[in-house]
Amino acid sequence: MDGLPTERSQRLSRAAALRLSLYLRCVAEWPADGDKVSSSRIADAVGVSDAQVRRDLAALGHLGQRGVGYDARELAAAIRTALGIDRAWRAVLVGVGNLGRALLRYQGFRAQGFQIVGLFDSDPAKIGTEVEGLTVEPVTRLAERAAALRVELGVLTVPGETAHAVAEALVGAGVRGILNFAPVVLKLPRKVRLVTVDLAIQLEQLAFQVQHGDGANRDDD
């Protein structure tokens, strides 16, 4: 049934799910020789061990044959199912500023099955305007419209001071997952999944790695 995770996908850790996303990018982009791809080729491209790739893919079922490799189409389909992107996901975007507009122009969302079906903003100058084929609606109607649009995901590109109120409105409308670009830590009900992308923190981590070189790669405390 749509929206329900499979038994195998429930056992995947977040780290494994991230690796699967990287594997999928590789498989989707490569012109596979004879429609077969090897674990070693994936490992080299992603930067993990061959054994790690085989362990991750073994969790998806019996896909490959030793010495032969994986059927590219079958592997891509299995990864999509495990990640839950073998169907369409409807989402709204709140905050139609520079970042929000850039995300709307990104073709990768639609290619992976993510459909932005509603735009919302609090700026009167933006309300009623059309952006990438969608009309910007007032954020005051977010809860009502999100429910009517049957969205499951929300993308926040709003200032930190308004992020909590917007997230609560999305949760109240039944949204099950939020991608948050606001520079703030959100506290949401456990049933709602949250991924936060703080670009400043990512730059801080990059600066740390550059500053400390190889020592920055240690995972121990």
Side-chain angles (χ1 to χ4, degrees), residues 1 23 72 75 104 121 129 143-144 154 160 178 181 191 196 200 211:
M1 182 180 297
Y23 302 163
L75 178 57
L104 287 170
D121 204 285
T129 62
E144 167 198 351
I178 293 177
F181 286 90
K191 65 179 181 179
T196 295
Q211 177 73 18

Side-chain angles (χ1 to χ4, degrees), residues 4-25:
L4 295 180
T6 65
E7 181 180 352
R8 286 196 178 99
S9 65
Q10 285 180 307
R11 293 200 300 264
L12 288 174
S13 67
R14 290 187 179 182
L18 176 57
R19 290 193 297 272
L20 287 178
S21 288
L22 297 176
Y23 302 163
L24 181 59
R25 295 296 182 277

Side-chain angles (χ1 to χ4, degrees), residues 130-171:
E130 186 173 294
V131 180
E132 299 297 320
L134 295 171
T135 300
V136 180
E137 302 185 60
V139 73
T140 52
R141 298 193 62 199
L142 176 58
E144 167 198 351
R145 291 290 292 141
L149 290 167
R150 297 179 291 108
V151 299
E152 296 178 83
L153 306 177
V155 181
L156 302 190
T157 55
V158 298
E161 58 267 23
T162 62
H164 281 98
V166 172
E168 288 175 358
L170 288 172
V171 172

